[in-house]
C-alpha cells in the first residue's frame, strides 16, 4: 500500500532493445546511404543496434557507457554505470582494464546544467555542414544545441525531413524541408521498402570472460560475481550458463 506500481506498458531501459527504426538506420549506414547519426537519447540503443561509434554522436550521454579519465578508453556495459549521488560527480567504482593505465572510470551521462561533450558536438555539426539530407526521427526539436543540427543542414543547402506525430512550428519554414506525420517505425519501414532493402533483426551478443578449475571430480566456473559448480566433470563437459 502506498507503493507505486510500474506501468506494464513501459519497458525498463535495461530491457529495451532496438526497434525497427533503430535497425533501419543501421541498414542505411551499412549501405553507405547514412553517413552519421546524432542521438539525444541516453538509452544507448543506437550504439547497441550496431552503428559504429565513429558514425554516431550521443549528445546527452549513454547510461551504459563509461570512459577512462586517463586514457579515454570506453566500456559499454549491460548495466547502468552511474553510481554517484551528486549531480556533477561522474566517478564510478571501476578502473581501466589496461594494466599500463588503470585510470578511474566515469559515467557519460550529461545532467542539466552541464556542458555537452565537445567531441560529440563537433562530430555532429561537422557532419551537418556536409549533409545533403537530414532525417529527424521523433524529436520535437526543442532542446538546444541538438535542435540546431537540422538547421545547420538547411542553412548549408541541404534538405530536412521531420517525422513526428506533432507539429514542429518552431523549425524554419523552407521549400527544402517537409514534415511527415507518422510513427517512426511505420515511416522507416516504408523508406526501406522503397529502397528495396530489408530491415535486419537485432541480435543480442554477450561476451563472457570465465576461468575454470577442477578438484576431485568437481568443476567450478568462476563468472565475475558468481560461482557455478559442475559435478562429474569430464574433458568434454559443456557448461550452460
Amino acid at each position: 500500500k502506498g507503493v507505486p506500481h510500474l506501468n506494464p506498458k513501459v519497458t525498463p531501459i535495461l530491457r529495451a532493445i532496438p526497434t525497427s527504426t533503430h535497425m533501419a538506420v543501421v541498414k542505411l549506414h551499412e549501405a553507405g546511404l547514412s553517413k552519421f547519426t546524432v542521438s539525444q537519447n541516453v538509452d544507448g540503443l543506437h550504439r547497441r543496434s550496431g552503428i559504429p561509434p565513429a558514425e554516431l554522436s550521443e549528445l546527452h550521454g549513454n547510461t551504459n557507457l563509461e570512459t577512462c579519465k586517463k586514457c579515454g578508453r570506453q566500456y559499454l556495459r549491460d548495466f547502468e554505470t552511474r553510481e554517484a549521488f551528486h549531480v556533477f560527480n561522474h566517478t564510478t567504482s571501476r578502473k581501466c582494464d589496461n594494466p599500463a593505465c588503470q585510470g578511474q572510470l566515469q559515467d557519460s551521462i550529461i545532467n542539466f546544467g552541464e556542458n555537452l561533450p565537445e567531441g560529440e558536438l563537433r562530430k555532429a555539426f561537422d557532419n551537418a555542414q556536409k549533409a545533403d539530407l537530414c532525417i529527424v526521427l521523433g524529436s520535437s526539436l526543442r532542446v538546444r544545441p541538438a535542435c540546431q543540427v537540422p538547421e545547420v543542414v538547411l542553412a548549408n543547402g541541404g534538405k530536412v525531413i521531420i517525422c513526428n506525430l506533432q507539429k514542429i512550428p518552431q523549425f524554419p519554414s523552407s521549400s527544402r524541408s517537409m514534415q511527415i506525420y507518422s510513427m517512426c517505425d511505420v515511416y522507416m519501414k516504408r523508406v526501406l521498402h522503397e529502397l528495396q532493402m530489408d530491415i535486419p533483426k537485432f541480435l543480442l551478443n554477450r561476451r563472457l570472460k570465465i576461468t575454470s578449475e577442477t578438484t576431485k571430480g568437481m568443476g567450478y566456473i568462476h563468472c565475475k560475481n558468481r560461482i557455478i559448480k559442475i559435478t562429474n566433470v569430464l574433458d568434454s563437459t559443456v557448461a550452460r550458463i
Side-chain angles (χ1 to χ4, degrees):
K1 185 177 179 180
V3 178
H5 295 283
L6 293 176
N7 188 338
K9 295 183 179 181
V10 177
T11 302
I13 192 169
L14 292 179
R15 295 183 183 178
I17 61 173
T19 64
S20 297
T21 295
H22 290 95
M23 300 312 298
V25 174
V26 170
K27 185 64 178 182
L28 293 177
H29 273 262
E30 293 176 346
L33 296 177
S34 179
K35 304 298 183 181
F36 201 80
T37 293
V38 180
S39 175
Q40 294 175 260
N41 299 327
V42 299
D43 53 27
L45 291 179
H46 278 300
R47 185 152 179 170
R48 288 169 58 191
S49 67
I51 295 178
E55 299 175 14
L56 172 66
S57 277
E58 294 175 304
L59 295 183
H60 298 159
N62 183 329
T63 57
N64 303 117
L65 185 70
E66 54 187 343
T67 305
C68 177
K69 294 181 180 180
K70 190 175 180 181
C71 70
R73 185 174 182 179
Q74 295 184 331
Y75 296 85
L76 187 61
R77 311 295 194 185
D78 60 357
F79 54 84
E80 291 187 17
T81 60
R82 182 158 180 78
E83 298 173 340
F85 291 101
H86 192 280
V87 65
F88 298 124
N89 180 13
H90 294 276
T91 302
T92 69
S93 59
R94 291 165 291 278
K95 302 275 188 177
C96 182
D97 288 344
N98 184 353
C101 177
Q102 296 186 329
Q104 183 67 53
L105 300 186
Q106 60 183 2
D107 68 64
S108 61
I109 291 298
I110 306 300
N111 295 310
F112 286 104
E114 294 184 307
N115 293 326
L116 272 61
E118 292 184 7
E120 300 297 295
L121 271 176
R122 184 171 56 253
K123 288 194 300 181
F125 284 100
D126 284 350
N127 279 276
Q129 292 177 351
K130 297 182 290 185
D132 299 311
L133 171 67
C134 175
I135 302 178
V136 180
L137 297 170
S139 175
S140 62
L141 296 179
R142 294 183 182 276
V143 180
R144 290 181 177 269
C147 68
Q148 295 173 295
V149 170
E151 294 178 6
V152 171
V153 174
L154 200 63
N156 282 272
K159 299 178 180 180
V160 175
I161 296 175
I162 302 173
C163 176
N164 202 314
L165 291 175
Q166 63 181 353
K167 293 183 179 180
I168 314 294
Q170 73 278 10
F171 191 78
S173 178
S174 171
S175 60
R176 288 180 285 106
S177 67
M178 66 178 296
Q179 181 167 355
I180 297 175
Y181 298 95
S182 170
M183 299 286 286
C184 292
D185 281 354
V186 174
Y187 172 67
M188 291 305 293
K189 287 178 180 178
R190 181 63 182 270
V191 169
L192 264 70
H193 175 74
E194 293 297 323
L195 293 173
Q196 299 183 343
M197 293 180 178
D198 294 326
I199 298 178
K201 292 183 178 181
F202 172 68
L203 297 177
L204 178 61
N205 297 313
R206 294 190 183 276
R207 185 177 299 171
L208 185 66
K209 182 178 180 180
I210 63 175
T211 59
S212 63
E213 62 183 57
T214 303
T215 305
K216 295 182 179 179
M218 305 290 284
Y220 295 88
I221 291 182
H222 302 268
C223 176
K224 198 171 183 179
N225 296 324
R226 58 178 175 162
I227 298 177
I228 303 171
K229 183 171 74 174
I230 307 171
T231 58
N232 301 321
V233 175
L234 298 175
D235 290 341
S236 59
T237 298
V238 176
R240 294 183 178 179
I241 302 175

